[in-house]
Amino acid sequence: MRKPFIAANWKMNKTAEETEEFINSFLPLVKDVSGADILLAPPYTSLGVAARLLKSSHVILAAQNVFYEEKGAYTGEISPAMLKSAGCSCVIIGHSERRQYFSETDTIVNRKIKTARKNGLDVILCIGESLQEREANKTFDVLDRQLAGSLADLPLDRITVAYEPIWAIGTGKTATKEQANEAHAHIRQWMRKHKEGADAVRIQYGGSVTPDNIESLMTQPEVDGALVGGASLKPDSFAKIVTGAIKN
Ligand code: PGA
């Protein structure tokens, strides 16, 4: 069985002080949890304080984005080596907000994953369809296209896939557990067909995950965890999602 993997994507929320406050409250709530991997992805400016506070814990530190070049004249960008030295072991790549607001294409996502892996970072690759695409019965085509483009010439080790239907992100409209499982099963099939080691890859669901729906989502055989936005901003809410995700 794949170990549940629960990740917090804070997006553009929390100052360094607020991050410190969160972690000080959150760690005691999950100190005895060993049945799930836990990850926090705060904004860049909180990585330093988070790395210090998480150092002797089992919580993984990640960034929400990275650039695909190693160094140079790229004002405002952050390299994988910088993330490593800031204490990150993982990075989220290809979130739909990056695709939507910052024009990230599958080609860019692919380059980012390559540079991140080369520098020893694990990756959470985000994919997912829009409402329009779902209603036009294009969900599987979109997922296939995103997987083929994002994972071109890449092996599957160090990769977690987050399936995040865009219509479910921040809307309070969660996919049903059947919709999530169906999409995850499709993603797994694609990986089995095109790559080695597909069965070991964890597939997280993302989109309006809360303490109230995590247990139901996790009953599904293909749902290996969650990528959580809004409900990860409060320590008790995120801790409840972590403990609710542990499959019995
Ligand atoms: P949400 O965001 O939980 O607030 O819907 C999830 C995500 O975008 O990763």
Side-chain angles (χ1 to χ4, degrees):
M1 204 178 84
R2 293 173 292 267
K3 189 175 183 184
F5 185 12
I6 304 298
N9 171 18
W10 284 356
K11 310 190 179 183
M12 200 173 71
N13 291 292
K14 293 194 192 294
T15 61
E17 292 78 12
E18 289 162 345
T19 299
E20 179 158 9
E21 215 176 293
F22 176 101
I23 293 175
N24 286 334
S25 310
F26 178 68
L27 282 183
L29 302 177
V30 296
K31 70 177 188 325
D32 296 325
V33 172
S34 58
D37 288 332
I38 309 168
L39 176 149
L40 289 188
Y44 289 136
T45 45
S46 287
L47 290 176
V49 66
R52 177 169 58 76
L53 295 169
L54 296 177
K55 203 171 182 138
S56 50
S57 81
H58 55 307
V59 176
I60 300 161
L61 183 63
Q64 300 170 18
N65 182 33
V66 68
F67 196 49
Y68 52 71
E69 293 291 351
E70 308 258 2
K71 61 161 74 170
Y74 303 103
T75 302
E77 291 297 332
I78 302 280
S79 75
M82 291 170 189
L83 294 183
K84 282 286 273 193
S85 100
C88 293
S89 59
C90 185
V91 59
I92 298 172
I93 296 181
H95 191 279
S96 62
E97 287 151 16
R98 304 260 356 138
R99 295 175 188 262
Q100 187 182 346
Y101 303 128
F102 304 98
S103 309
E104 278 192 17
T105 60
D106 290 325
T107 307
I108 292 174
V109 169
N110 180 253
R111 288 180 72 182
K112 289 187 169 190
I113 299 176
K114 283 180 176 151
T115 319
R117 282 179 40 107
K118 191 170 151 214
N119 284 273
L121 289 166
D122 294 335
V123 169
I124 297 178
L125 161 65
C126 302
I127 56 174
E129 81 287 0
S130 66
L131 183 59
Q132 230 179 0
E133 289 161 341
R134 175 162 282 267
E135 284 175 347
N137 274 328
K138 297 231 169 79
T139 298
F140 291 166
D141 295 343
V142 171
L143 296 178
D144 289 352
R145 191 186 68 228
Q146 291 177 330
L147 286 164
S150 306
L151 293 175
D153 308 316
L154 278 166
L156 291 177
D157 61 300
R158 291 193 173 278
I159 304 280
T160 294
V161 176
Y163 168 63
E164 299 206 304
I166 296 167
W167 47 272
I169 295 177
T171 57
K173 205 174 159 208
T174 324
T176 63
K177 59 185 193 302
E178 292 82 11
Q179 283 171 326
N181 198 61
E182 183 190 39
H184 288 210
H186 182 84
I187 292 166
R188 178 115 26 229
Q189 274 311 110
W190 185 94
M191 292 192 295
R192 280 193 188 127
K193 194 165 156 201
H194 298 278
K195 310 270 175 190
E196 303 271 306
D199 287 307
V201 176
R202 288 180 291 188
I203 306 177
Q204 298 172 323
Y205 166 77
S208 299
V209 172
T210 67
D212 294 330
N213 59 30
I214 185 69
E215 280 181 47
S216 150
L217 286 160
M218 293 299 292
T219 59
Q220 300 303 295
E222 290 293 350
V223 178
D224 304 317
L227 180 56
V228 188
S232 74
L233 293 170
K234 295 220 167 78
D236 55 333
S237 156
F238 188 53
K240 277 190 198 141
I241 293 175
V242 169
T243 47
I246 297 170
K247 296 198 184 192
N248 296 309

